[in-house]
Amino acid sequence: MSTASVGVSPSPALRPALRALVPTLSRLVTLAAVVVLVGLLPWLSGRDPALSILRARAGDQNPTAEALDSIRAQLGLDMGPWEKLGHWLWGLMHGDAGVSWISGGPVLPGMLQATGVSLALMLAAMLLALVTTMALCVTAVRRGLMGEPAPTSGALGATLTALPEFLLAALLLVIFAAGLNWLPPYGWGEARHMILPALSLGLPAGGLMGRLFSDGLTASFSERWVATWHVAGFGRRRIALAVLKRTLPSLLPQVGLVIVGLTGGAIAVEQVFSIPGLGRATLGAASAQDLPALQTGILLLLAIAVVLGGAAGLGRTLLLGRTLRAGAVPVTRHEPHHGRWQWVVPVAVALLLVIIIVAGIGRDPLASNYLRLQPPSLDLPLGADGTGRDILARVSHGALSTMGMALLVVSITFVLGVLIGLMPRLAAGPIEVTNATPPVIAGLLVAGLMGPSASGAILAVTLVSWAPLAAHTAALVTEVQGQAHVRITPMLGVGRWRLLSRYILPSVIGPVFRHAMLRLPGIALALAALGFLGLGPRPPAPEWGLLLAEGIPYLERAPWAVLVPALALVLMSILAVSLSSLWRRG
């Protein structure tokens, strides 16, 4: 062996340690990059931070040079971006996150208190999501125990996933708080304040996890060892527990991501119910360009992501560690399922969407030709909105915009997720950090650099939506590499590219594509949320997110202004999941 090769090749004893060190380095580098990006945002945006602070503190004050210089000197803005960032990091190491640029008070105590509120809300929502998940998996478990594992249509899970949190929160607020007066509409501090927000967050998360677990359980029940256990006389309870243990490892990363997503996704719910949580506090800090508060909020979100991601990885290792090391991971067997009724759901849903689009495509979506909030009639089938515009026309013309943007984001994130997920160790940090950044925060960052726009909304959602697909890909790649017939391929002379194309990608593409299609409504809803918050397409564009935002204030007086675009999103979700199910069965 040459001296050069010895110099560049680590010893065999060091290779496992180096491989274990890669994910840690990936997390640290990604965290550092995000902190630097957030810290430099006021300077990257091209706007004067002192001017933004002056406007936030006293919007009517004349921004004179003396007033701006006073603010710069008071807050240390005259240091420059890099010096200011280093000064903040040094203080953070000593337990000082700085002073708010807006209120003038310490940042850390308030952010920690807001974190406790968000964690409590997240825990309640997660418990509800687990109950929903179990209910959606009953059919898959029953079919598997009967020896007939088959994918379900997923209509209910897709419907729950397609419900926007802010829309569901508004509906629950109107029905149970304003209408029935059973629960308080706003506030925090008592257990009953938690019920409506937890429902708003838990039901969509439960729909997503229920569909993922239903697919995973169906795949596990199709493995040959299950039939062997049936023949050997094992009881149904033991088989069901074994199948659950087999399914959990590949889905635990997704569970961790869903939990983290609850923290970030709570921003809209916290806004609706006026809950003093971390998401609402971070959103307010980003809007006001309160850099110390924004940095602290994002770091707390990232800390939650790292802890939960590590816990999910540890749980997966404990469940599947010995099997992976022994190369004894069972091979999943997918059998085609044919039937004349399998096209009923997608055809019926597609027909409803086509009817809505065709019925309104010839009508004017921008003209205010009707009375404000005019109820539906023969001439106005779906009623008018708050400015007298035809809702049918706006939903129809907005279909191409909303569906097109969502499909574009899904296509990009699917490719990114698969490519990045093929490098599990290097991708650990970006996956956890990206998933800890909600689309709203990404939208605020992008809007701060580019201004609110449709392209900015697409970029913001794309930047944070590839992480779940990459985590799913990484988990599947690890399992495939642990299968016995794959582990012996290097000894048979199979190269890396052939191993990738012949064994790994065929086992990854199908499940990840189905997962991507399942996330289509969530991505559409993220785009809608950005439009709802004014970070996406601008009025008077007939975009579904704007329709929801414009209709929310009139939900009690004119429910048709909100329910129609919400129904369109639900139909799109059911169509996407049904078609992806057919693709997999074929």
Side-chain angles (χ1 to χ4, degrees):
M1 181 179 296
S2 66
T3 305
S5 64
V6 173
V8 298
S9 301
S11 64
L14 291 177
R15 289 175 184 172
L18 291 176
R19 285 196 298 266
L21 187 62
V22 169
T24 301
L25 292 176
S26 173
R27 294 184 180 97
L28 293 176
V29 170
T30 308
L31 283 170
V34 172
V35 171
V36 170
L37 175 62
V38 173
L40 297 179
L41 178 63
W43 287 270
L44 293 175
S45 65
R47 293 190 294 266
D48 186 359
L51 181 59
S52 300
I53 295 168
L54 180 63
R55 289 175 176 173
R57 291 182 175 179
D60 56 348
Q61 183 176 345
N62 186 25
T64 62
E66 292 77 9
L68 296 177
D69 290 339
S70 174
I71 291 177
R72 294 189 188 101
Q74 178 185 359
L75 300 177
L77 296 176
D78 51 353
M79 294 181 184
W82 295 107
E83 186 179 358
K84 178 65 177 176
L85 179 64
H87 183 268
W88 177 79
L89 289 173
W90 176 259
L92 189 64
M93 294 172 60
H94 294 80
D96 180 14
V99 176
S100 171
W101 285 359
I102 307 302
S103 67
V107 167
L108 192 57
M111 281 296 184
L112 290 178
Q113 184 177 2
T115 301
V117 172
S118 290
L119 289 176
L121 175 59
M122 180 178 63
L123 178 60
M126 195 61 206
L127 292 176
L128 178 62
L130 289 177
V131 173
T132 306
T133 300
M134 290 187 290
L136 292 176
C137 291
V138 169
T139 301
V141 173
R142 180 174 55 82
R143 290 180 180 179
L145 292 176
M146 292 174 61
E148 302 174 354
T152 60
S153 66
L156 180 57
T159 302
L160 293 176
T161 305
L163 292 173
E165 287 88 355
F166 55 87
L167 172 61
L168 184 56
L171 289 172
L172 296 175
L173 187 68
V174 170
I175 295 173
F176 294 101
L180 300 176
N181 199 26
W182 288 355
L183 294 167
Y186 308 108
W188 188 259
E190 301 179 11
R192 59 197 188 114
H193 287 120
M194 192 182 296
I195 297 176
L196 294 182
L199 286 171
S200 303
L201 284 175
L203 289 179
L208 175 59
M209 289 200 305
R211 194 65 184 102
L212 290 173
F213 270 94
S214 179
D215 288 347
L217 290 171
T218 298
S220 297
F221 272 116
S222 69
E223 295 173 352
R224 299 185 185 278
W225 65 269
V226 178
T228 304
W229 280 36
H230 276 293
V231 174
F234 286 97
R236 289 192 170 190
R237 181 175 179 273
R238 187 170 180 181
I239 293 176
L241 291 176
V243 168
L244 178 61
K245 184 178 179 180
R246 168 71 181 94
T247 306
L248 274 175
S250 62
L251 293 181
L252 272 178
Q254 304 305 312
V255 174
L257 292 174
V258 170
I259 296 174
V260 176
L262 286 177
T263 305
I267 294 177
V269 174
E270 291 174 359
Q271 289 281 47
V272 171
F273 293 101
S274 299
I275 298 174
L278 179 61
R280 189 176 180 220
T282 307
L283 176 62
S287 300
Q289 279 200 331
D290 190 352
L291 181 56
L294 178 61
Q295 288 173 314
T296 306
I298 290 183
L299 284 182
L300 288 172
L301 288 171
L302 297 181
I304 295 172
V306 170
V307 171
L308 293 178
L314 177 61
R316 183 174 183 273
T317 301
L318 293 176
L319 287 171
L320 202 59
R322 293 182 179 178
T323 309
L324 283 173
R325 288 191 295 270
V329 178
V331 180
T332 303
R333 176 171 53 97
H334 299 287
E335 297 182 356
H337 298 274
H338 303 287
R340 65 173 65 182
W341 303 108
Q342 61 184 356
W343 286 96
V344 171
V345 172
V347 169
V349 172
L351 183 60
L352 288 174
L353 283 173
V354 169
I355 291 174
I356 293 175
I357 294 173
V358 172
I361 200 66
R363 305 168 74 97
D364 191 344
L366 302 178
S368 300
N369 295 328
Y370 304 93
L371 298 176
R372 293 181 67 252
L373 305 177
Q374 183 172 331
S377 62
L378 291 178
D379 294 333
L380 195 62
L382 300 182
D385 63 8
T387 59
R389 294 171 298 192
D390 188 346
I391 292 179
L392 175 59
R394 293 182 64 74
V395 171
S396 175
H397 285 264
L400 294 179
S401 172
T402 302
M403 290 183 179
M405 288 194 300
L407 285 173
L408 177 61
V409 173
V410 165
S411 302
I412 297 174
T413 54
F414 171 67
V415 175
L416 289 176
V418 171
L419 292 178
I420 297 174
L422 292 175
M423 303 175 288
R425 294 186 180 89
L426 288 175
I431 288 174
E432 294 171 4
V433 172
T434 300
N435 193 75
T437 306
V440 172
I441 296 296
L444 287 167
L445 295 176
V446 173
L449 295 172
M450 302 173 51
S453 64
S455 59
I458 291 174
L459 176 61
V461 177
T462 301
L463 288 175
V464 299
S465 297
W466 58 266
L469 301 179
H472 194 181
T473 300
L476 292 173
V477 167
T478 304
E479 288 194 22
V480 171
Q481 291 175 340
Q483 294 174 354
H485 70 285
V486 175
R487 295 189 66 173
I488 66 172
T489 52
M491 293 180 286
L492 300 178
V494 178
R496 290 186 177 182
W497 288 108
R498 182 171 176 80
L499 176 65
L500 181 67
S501 61
R502 181 71 181 271
Y503 297 98
I504 295 179
L505 283 180
S507 301
V508 167
I509 294 296
V512 177
F513 176 80
R514 183 175 171 84
H515 185 188
M517 290 297 101
L518 180 61
R519 298 192 69 82
L520 176 64
I523 289 174
L525 297 177
L527 292 167
L530 293 181
F532 175 80
L533 295 172
L535 302 174
R538 310 302 297 163
E543 194 268 333
W544 286 353
L546 285 177
L547 297 184
L548 289 173
E550 294 165 351
I552 286 289
Y554 311 108
L555 179 61
E556 190 173 4
R557 295 170 51 195
W560 56 83
V562 172
L563 296 180
V564 173
L567 175 62
L569 285 170
V570 170
L571 291 176
M572 181 180 64
S573 170
I574 296 174
L575 176 64
V577 176
S578 300
L579 289 178
S580 65
S581 299
L582 291 176
W583 181 87
R584 184 182 179 183
R585 295 175 194 179

